[in-house]
Amino acid sequence: MATFLYKLGRMSFRRRHFVALIWVALLTLAGVGAASAPAAGNSSFSIPGTEAQKAFDLLEQRFPGTSADGATARVVFKAPSGEKMTDPGNKATVQETVKELADGSEVVRVTDPYQAKAVSKDGTIAYAQVSYKVSGMELEDSSRDALEHSAQDARSAGLTVEVGGDALQTVPHTGTTEIIGIAVAAVVLVITFGSLIAAGLPLLTALIGVGIGVSSITALASALDLGSTTSTLAMMIGLAVGIDYALFIVSRYRAELAEGRDREDAAGRAVGTAGSAVVFAGLTVVIALVGLSVVNIPMLTKMGVAAAGTVAIAVLIALTMIPALLGYAGRKVKPAGEKGRLLGRAKAQEKQDKPVKPNLGTRWASFVVRRPVAVLLLGVIGLGAAAVPAASLELGLPDDGSQPTSTTQRRAYDLLSEGFGPGFNGPLMVVVDAKDSDDPKAAFTAVGDEIKGLEDVVTVTPPAPNKAGDTATITVIPDSKPSSVATEDLVHSIRGKGAGIKADSDANVLVTGQTAMNIDVSEKLNDALIPYLVLVVGLAFLLLIVVFRSILVPLKAALGFLLSVMAALGAVVAVFQWGWLAGLMGVEQTGPVMSMMPIFMVGVVFGLAMDYEVFLVTRMREAYVHGEKAGQAVVTGFRHGARVVTAAAVIMMAVFAGFIGSSESMVKMIGFGLAIAVFFDAFVVRMAIVPAVLALLGRKAWWLPKWLDRALPNVDVEGEGLRSASGDQDKELVRA
């Protein structure tokens, strides 16, 4: 592979006009496609195989036109101090608001609080429920504007009015944080390379790659039912890896120049060596993202595949466009150790007898090699301590109760809790399918009576049958809040009663609603975590065996990753569930960790962590293959790679940490979790534990059974083929 990539790098350097034209044409084509594509709504959300989804599907069949999975909004009214919602003036204001709300083009129905008995016992709080034809993510902005306008009109009449429900659900916009991440990346690149030109190349290519990827997703969004969250993830991952991959190759190019090679040969060797690491690092990211399909949540699968496509584009751009741009830059990109005018030129004429001071990476690696046991114990104990809170991990999906107190959704949630109890914010819908029952009405009544006898139940509404009389819905109000363990237990208790009811009356009992759907999603994600880990880590383990031609190095990489992910999950639990440093992070409401967080963190962080593993350890492998002792190879790998890996990790952390400033608790949690995971993995695992383990293993680290060595393909990531080819060329020159 190294030889092929070497030729590709040299060709891209020579034919730079052609290569640049191709990528600009692809960017233009993708941009035109995105601009001319029909506007796409958000991806339809379905969870195949869950009971909540089966109930939704059944409601669509038996209650046609009711939009069972449509968005809902609760407009909550509170009377001024000393007044009641039943006072004539307040009642007239509410009824006028209900009339306004019913005029919306996407509105199915609006309940009148006074007819639906939706007034609190003390008479101070009432609510109107608005049901829409489409889901919250598909709702038109005009419908949301009308909702907020009606609420404002009621406020003007003197009432306290807040709006909750998923009708106000929108995709969080994070454009500002992306700009902050890019700005930090630019600063780090300038410090790393000491040149604006060299620093600008990774940024330029990363933006082009993200532009092509996101534009392609936008162009295909309508045809493939891709949601806007798909492009958000693709942008976040594509930007991070795009900068890192280009950084690796530009850094190696400067190192090759420092060894005296001409620029075309240096570009070829940079792509042949660092480019090989980029290819396999990219493959691990792609495996991790595509592997999300094992969860069997269509939206998550599409997000993973689309992000993987953006990563593949980033790899191709790094292998071809970077050497092309290096050809354009010419002498403006300096050899390693020689800085540009921006940070001052290195002294070209140094005294020959003056010793060169080892860089920080060399000094650190030498320290670790001398004291591997102490460093290893400190690193493992530190990450183990950080992982302790993960034992208390509670999973759930965020609701309005997790919103900041400054939002109308959170204030509506609190008003409903005050007037009707905390469980009112998470009603359960029980669907009774009595099509095969001899006496459907008796079955409906029996289900209601069974539910009334359960703990944690406040209210059970009478059954509401369909026109055919074979299916009915029953609304159950729990005594506890939606995200509580008690509510989850109630859902399981109702489902547990279903088996007995089925035996007695041939009626099926299904529990659905937003709260039940959240519980089912959490359980589905939790059940998929182990299979996903086995698949992703297993495939990557096999891939790394091919790359490093070793058993112990890939095993160490996988175990180190698991340690860093557990530590990161522990940090997430400590901040977002326990409330440690919550004020500093802007966390206003603690609660269960988002159920998607563990599997999402495993997928994204595993792929990114392997970037550092491949780039750093291939440098060590390269030195070892070229004759250095095992301990010295570790030091050599750090001398060449530590600075670049550090810069790459800081850039990655900056991109993710920018999302901590989001007002959305889910986005904030993802940003913090990914940033802290990259910190643990890059600086504790890869920079401390990895060299300590390799120092302890010595030559054994690179052991591979002979039969397996013969069976594996020789991908030559360390560039041994390039050295052999160079040696043959030198011999030919000597003979001549």
Side-chain angles (χ1 to χ4, degrees):
M1 175 178 285
T3 304
F4 169 75
L5 293 178
Y6 170 75
K7 293 177 180 177
L8 179 64
R10 293 194 64 163
M11 186 275 291
S12 299
F13 188 94
R14 288 196 310 272
R15 304 288 181 86
R16 46 188 172 273
H17 302 307
F18 177 69
V19 172
L21 181 63
I22 288 178
W23 284 112
V24 171
L26 288 174
L27 179 61
T28 304
L29 184 64
V32 170
S36 58
N42 292 279
S43 178
S44 56
F45 187 78
S46 63
I47 314 295
T50 61
E51 182 172 315
Q53 186 64 50
K54 291 176 183 176
F56 272 130
D57 295 340
L58 182 65
L59 287 172
E60 289 288 343
Q61 296 173 14
R62 306 286 174 84
F63 293 82
T66 58
S67 301
D69 59 347
T72 58
R74 281 178 170 175
V75 183
V76 188
F77 307 89
K78 184 174 183 180
S81 179
E83 298 182 17
K84 303 282 187 182
M85 289 304 305
T86 51
D87 293 347
N90 294 334
K91 186 174 182 179
T93 300
V94 171
Q95 291 177 329
E96 180 62 29
T97 303
V98 169
K99 185 178 178 181
E100 271 187 55
L101 291 169
D103 292 336
S105 59
E106 294 183 305
V107 174
V108 175
R109 62 184 175 276
V110 182
T111 60
D112 186 317
Y114 304 101
Q115 295 178 4
K117 298 181 180 179
V119 181
S120 63
K121 291 181 180 180
D122 62 4
T124 60
I125 297 174
Y127 74 91
Q129 181 154 312
V130 188
S131 300
Y132 293 89
K133 299 176 182 177
V134 296
S135 68
M137 298 295 286
E138 297 172 308
L139 206 61
E140 296 287 341
D141 289 338
S142 58
S143 295
R144 293 193 184 94
D145 293 341
L147 183 63
E148 294 172 355
H149 179 73
S150 298
Q152 187 57 47
D153 287 346
R155 290 189 192 105
S156 300
L159 297 176
T160 298
V161 185
E162 305 296 347
V163 183
D166 60 352
L168 295 183
Q169 182 180 13
T170 58
V171 178
H173 298 286
T174 53
T176 304
T177 59
E178 290 160 8
I179 294 173
I180 293 172
I182 293 173
V184 173
V187 172
V188 173
L189 288 169
V190 170
I191 294 173
T192 302
F193 292 135
S195 164
L196 283 176
I197 299 296
L201 296 182
L203 285 175
L204 176 62
T205 54
L207 291 173
I208 291 174
V210 167
I212 294 173
V214 173
S215 297
S216 300
I217 291 170
T218 304
L220 298 172
S222 179
L224 301 181
D225 191 26
L226 302 177
S228 51
T229 50
T230 304
S231 59
T232 301
L233 176 64
M235 182 182 299
M236 181 168 64
I237 303 300
L239 188 64
V241 301
I243 294 174
D244 279 6
Y245 295 164
L247 169 64
F248 294 160
I249 292 178
V250 173
S251 175
R252 185 60 184 256
Y253 171 76
R254 296 177 71 235
E256 296 292 339
L257 287 180
E259 293 183 5
R261 305 190 190 281
D262 66 76
R263 294 186 177 274
E264 182 178 329
D265 188 48
R269 288 178 175 274
V271 175
T273 51
S276 297
V278 165
V279 169
F280 284 99
L283 275 176
T284 59
V285 181
V286 169
I287 288 172
L289 291 171
V290 173
L292 289 171
S293 59
V294 302
V295 183
N296 195 28
I297 296 179
M299 183 184 72
L300 199 58
T301 299
K302 292 173 185 177
M303 289 171 62
V305 172
T310 307
V311 171
I313 292 172
V315 171
L316 293 174
I317 283 185
L319 298 178
T320 57
M321 195 168 185
I322 282 293
L325 293 179
L326 289 172
Y328 283 119
R331 297 184 179 278
K332 293 180 181 178
V333 177
K334 307 296 182 183
E338 181 180 339
K339 297 184 179 181
R341 295 178 181 177
L342 184 66
L343 296 180
R345 294 183 180 276
K347 295 180 180 179
Q349 302 297 328
E350 294 283 354
K351 292 182 179 180
Q352 296 297 321
D353 57 345
K354 185 176 180 179
V356 178
K357 183 180 179 181
N359 61 21
L360 182 59
T362 302
R363 297 197 300 273
W364 169 250
S366 299
F367 170 78
V368 174
V369 169
R370 289 195 305 270
R371 295 176 176 82
V373 175
V375 173
L376 178 61
L377 288 176
L378 186 61
V380 171
I381 292 172
L383 291 180
V388 168
S392 303
L393 177 67
E394 295 178 9
L395 297 178
L397 287 177
D399 54 24
D400 286 347
S402 62
Q403 296 274 5
T405 52
S406 58
T407 62
T408 185
Q409 296 99 312
R410 172 60 186 278
R411 291 196 293 264
Y413 181 97
D414 292 341
L415 283 177
L416 286 171
S417 296
E418 177 188 339
F420 303 93
F424 203 79
N425 284 289
L428 306 176
M429 180 182 289
V430 178
V431 182
V432 185
D433 178 10
K435 190 173 184 178
D436 298 329
S437 177
D438 295 332
D439 189 352
K441 290 185 178 179
F444 300 154
T445 303
V447 172
D449 292 341
E450 285 281 359
I451 296 174
K452 288 177 183 177
L454 296 175
E455 294 182 6
D456 200 49
V457 173
V458 173
T459 304
V460 179
T461 64
N466 62 349
K467 290 183 179 179
D470 59 4
T471 308
T473 59
I474 300 172
T475 301
V476 179
I477 306 298
D479 189 35
S480 50
K481 63 181 183 179
S483 59
S484 67
V485 176
T487 300
E488 184 177 345
D489 292 340
L490 176 61
V491 170
H492 292 307
S493 297
I494 296 173
R495 289 172 174 170
K497 293 289 185 182
I501 293 170
K502 173 71 174 176
D504 295 338
S505 61
D506 289 327
N508 289 319
V509 178
L510 304 172
V511 184
T512 188
Q514 190 60 49
T515 300
M517 179 68 84
N518 288 351
I519 292 170
D520 286 352
V521 171
S522 297
E523 291 180 351
K524 191 176 183 70
L525 288 166
N526 194 40
D527 292 342
L529 183 58
I530 299 301
Y532 177 68
L533 264 175
V534 172
L535 174 69
V536 172
V537 177
L539 288 176
F541 178 76
L542 295 176
L543 186 65
L544 292 178
I545 288 177
V546 175
V547 175
F548 297 129
R549 308 196 76 78
S550 164
I551 298 292
L552 296 178
V553 170
L555 180 62
K556 171 264 308 170
L559 293 177
F561 157 74
L562 292 175
L563 190 58
S564 62
V565 164
M566 290 303 298
L569 278 176
V572 169
V573 169
V575 173
F576 292 89
Q577 190 174 308
W578 292 359
W580 293 6
L581 302 178
L584 182 63
M585 296 294 170
V587 179
E588 296 187 21
Q589 180 68 38
T590 59
V593 172
M594 184 182 65
S595 54
M596 197 179 293
M597 193 68 195
I599 201 163
F600 185 79
M601 184 181 291
V602 166
V604 176
V605 177
F606 180 78
L608 300 180
M610 291 304 104
D611 286 1
Y612 311 132
E613 176 75 17
V614 170
F615 187 76
L616 192 60
V617 181
T618 48
R619 270 293 201 171
M620 300 176 191
R621 167 78 181 170
E622 182 180 342
Y624 179 77
V625 168
H626 292 164
E628 292 188 8
K629 293 183 178 180
Q632 183 57 40
V634 172
V635 177
T636 300
F638 267 77
R639 182 170 71 248
H640 293 295
R643 181 183 178 90
V644 179
V645 170
T646 299
V650 171
I651 289 170
M652 198 83 71
M653 289 168 58
V655 172
F656 293 143
F659 290 83
I660 297 175
S662 173
S663 60
E664 290 285 335
S665 61
M666 182 169 65
V667 176
K668 186 190 295 288
M669 188 182 297
I670 289 174
F672 173 80
L674 294 182
I676 198 69
V678 170
F679 171 78
F680 285 149
D681 199 272
F683 293 106
V684 181
V685 174
R686 309 303 154 190
M687 292 289 190
I689 294 177
V690 165
V693 171
L694 291 177
L696 288 171
L697 292 175
R699 293 173 57 89
K700 295 177 183 177
W702 309 107
W703 172 81
L704 187 70
K706 291 183 179 180
W707 64 268
L708 185 56
D709 189 30
R710 290 191 297 268
L712 292 177
N714 184 13
V715 296
D716 190 22
V717 176
E718 62 274 357
E720 180 65 21
L722 299 183
R723 173 168 289 198
S724 300
S726 177
D728 292 341
Q729 291 174 4
D730 293 342
K731 290 177 182 178
E732 291 296 328
L733 290 174
V734 170
R735 290 172 186 170

